[in-house]
Each structure stands twice: as structure tokens, then as C-alpha cells.
Amino acid sequence: MACSIYYLTNIKTAMGHFALALILGLACAIFACSKSNEDAICFDVMDYGAVCDGTTDDSQAFFKAWNAACSSETENPSIIIPKQTFLVNPVVFRGPCKAKNINFLILGRVLAPDSPQAWEGLDPSQWLVFHGVSGLRVSGSGLIDGRGNGWWEQSCRDHPDLEGCTSLAPTALNLISCKRSSLKDIHFVNSSQTHVLIMGCDGMDIGNLMIQAPEISPNTDGIHIQASNDVIISNITVGTGDDCISIGDSTSNIYISNVGCGPGHGISIGSLGKSGNMVQVENIHVSKVYLKGTTNGVRIKTWQVGKGYVRGVTFKDLYFDSVENPIIIDQNYCNIRGACKELQSGVHISDVVFINFYGTSSTDVAINLNCSRSVACTEILLKSIQLTSASIGHTLTSNCTNAFGYTFGMVQPQPCLQI
């Protein structure tokens, strides 16, 4: 059964398609455990003691169902979270599992604890974790609710003078060291921090997700990818308080397409090299993205103390609706603008393509390529860029420092690349 949809950059159409994905996700779940599917054996969390009243901790029932499915000799076991409401404390679902593939079907609502105190003595960076699983398939028509308000109210970013403020909060869903796995059709809301983390994974297929959090919520990235390879992200809608999608170090072969982004901070590679480490990021492809009212469009940001490279990056077919800073490369990234001393080191950014960009900028500098005076940006290509101001009477400009490359076709605003 085909369980994919096509995302259109019109938000209303995307919402309609997301509803269709929920229906198809439910159909897929039913098929996975139907009698006609001889390889499928289902492990319903209700059979392992889940109370599903939204107030009683059901994490042990989830954990027991996982262990039973993971140790099962069947080819395609499925853990079922039915159409009920479940409170789940922090839990780690560990592999490897005996089955070639293992399904985790979320049809109901999974709630995080509503108080940070539930994490006392535990890792405060994670809530739901899959670790070391191959052939994992997380899907369904359900909702994962991080209930992050308690963490936001004590965030050091927004409450720096608060005694005991926290700079680290739980990611809603962590996929760590997983291979040949997928995440489909789930609706995420209000994670305490990042909604989905892909860490140390190889071969991930992510699609048909809806991710939502308030625009003012701190550090609530939609999806963050770190130290992972061969990741496909498609047909998703993200509106949060931070990056819609962010790409960290040691990543390669990342393909992102058909994304609705906003509110949020756009799509980012970085920041990279903060600790002076060797950066290795390459073969990143982003296409067919609709950005509305975001604080950035697409950006690459690196610290001067870093080393290594970012190369082979393509941003193609993007539409901007009143977006601040549509195109940014910043090799002099600093927590406080202008506060970091200029150094003779840097991450080399090269072979970056911006092609077929249309729409409006809410800032006057629409193209900002701030490259290191010591390690220049090279082989930058701007092709078919048509950006206009979102404000009547304003003229857009470009700003370049030590950025080398070429332009083809119409590029507006006037480019400033050095040849």
C-alpha cells in the first residue's frame, strides 16, 4: 500500500494533504496487523498495562511492548499505540532487534510530562528515544505532544536572570544510531526543545510530518540532522520558534524537498566548528521550499575557530514570502554579533549553488555573503534570483565580503560576487 503524499507549497493545500496522510497512515497501520499479513504480529501497549487516561504514567507499558516486539522471532512485528491518550515519561527503546523490520505505529496521543521535574536524575536532553535500531518504521496518524511550556518558562535564553534556568531541554523524538529506518505521517507539537533529532544514522526516510510550536518558543527546531548520512526529508510542514530544518556536522548525502517553513528561522547548515573541530559537511540538496515570514531563508553559518569544509550544497526552487535575510553565508558566526575576534582560521565553504529563487524580502540586504578574510568562500553560483522588497519603495541590495563565484541569468538584487 502506498503511504506517501505530495506536498504543494500552498499551505492550505498542504494541510489538506496532511489530513489525507493521517487517513492513509491509519490504513497502513490496520494493514500491518491484518490477518492477511502473515508476517505481522502486533504488540498493543494496552495488553502490557497501559491505562491511557492521560495522567497515569504508561512508559512501562510502552517499554514492555517494545521489548516483546524487539525480541520476537517474527519478520515484521508491530507495536501499536491505539487511539487513546497516553502519558509517557522519558523512555529509551533500544536495539538491535531480532526482526529485520520493526514497526512503531502511533495512532493516539502521546503526551510528555508537563513538568521538568519528571526528568530529575535523567538525561534532560531526551524524551522518546530509539537507539541502535535497524529497519525501524515509526508512523501513524497520531500526535506527539512535548508539552514544552514548563521548560520554556525556565529557559536561560528567555529568562537569563532566573535562578536555575536551563539551557538544555528534551528533544521530543531522538533517532540515534539507527539504520534503514523511516519516520512518517506523525504530527508533532510543542516540544521542549528540538522536535526530531537524527543522530549517527545511516539511511533515513522522513516524510509527511506536521511540526508546530509557538513562534516565541526557544530552540524548538523542527528537525536537526547530526553525524548522519543518506537522509531524505520530503513533504513536511514546519512552524516553530527556531530552524525548520538544521544540519549539523559530519553529514553527507542529505536530500530535502517539498517543505513548508514558517514561522521559524528558515533552513540552516550550522552553526559549525564552534569548538575548533574539523568540519565535514557535503552533498546537501534542498529544493521546493516555501518560506513564509521566517527570520532567515537559507543560510550556512560557521565559527572562525573551525576547520574543514562545507561543499557540494544546492538550494533550488525556493519561494520567499516576506522573509528576512533570504540568502546568508556567514563564516564569522558569533553568539553576539561583532564580539568574536577575527582569526586566521575558518571552515572552507565552496561549491554552493543558489538557483531559481523568487519572492519578497522584508530586509533590504537580501543576499549577504559574509566570508572569512583568511578562508574565502569559493565557487558560489547565483542563478535566476528574483527577489523584491516586501515594503513599498524599498530597494534590495547585496553584501559580499571575500565571496568568489559566478552569476547566470537574471539576479536581483544586483550580485556582488568577485570572480
Side-chain angles (χ1 to χ4, degrees), residues 43 104 140 197 229 248 253 334:
F43 299 83
F104 199 92
L197 171 64
N229 306 297
N253 302 330
C334 184

Side-chain angles (χ1 to χ4, degrees), residues 358-418:
Y358 304 93
T360 57
S361 171
S362 60
T363 52
D364 290 344
V365 181
I367 301 175
N368 190 356
L369 308 179
N370 177 23
C371 299
S372 166
R373 299 182 190 277
S374 302
V375 185
C377 301
T378 59
E379 300 177 74
I380 308 300
L381 173 63
L382 299 171
K383 181 178 180 181
S384 300
I385 310 292
Q386 297 182 42
L387 298 175
T388 58
S389 178
S391 301
I392 296 175
H394 284 237
T395 300
L396 300 185
T397 62
S398 299
N399 179 62
C400 296
T401 301
N402 216 29
F404 294 82
Y406 302 91
T407 61
F408 287 95
M410 179 179 290
V411 175
Q412 179 64 36
Q414 186 71 28
C416 52
L417 287 169
Q418 301 178 59

Side-chain angles (χ1 to χ4, degrees), residues 232-312:
I232 298 173
I233 299 175
S234 62
N235 305 318
I236 70 169
T237 302
V238 184
T240 68
D242 211 305
D243 295 326
C244 291
I245 300 173
S246 57
I247 298 170
D249 197 8
S250 301
T251 55
S252 64
N253 302 330
I254 311 298
Y255 299 87
I256 299 168
S257 65
N258 297 308
V259 175
C261 174
H265 295 180
I267 295 179
S268 294
I269 298 175
S271 62
L272 304 170
K274 183 177 182 178
S275 61
N277 59 293
M278 178 65 69
V279 171
Q280 295 178 312
V281 174
E282 62 184 331
N283 200 19
I284 312 296
H285 300 276
V286 179
S287 66
K288 299 179 182 177
V289 179
Y290 172 73
L291 299 109
K292 180 177 175 61
T294 53
T295 56
N296 297 288
V298 292
R299 60 177 172 170
I300 303 173
K301 46 183 180 175
T302 65
W303 293 76
Q304 292 185 71
V305 293
K307 300 176 287 291
Y309 58 82
V310 176
R311 64 193 184 195

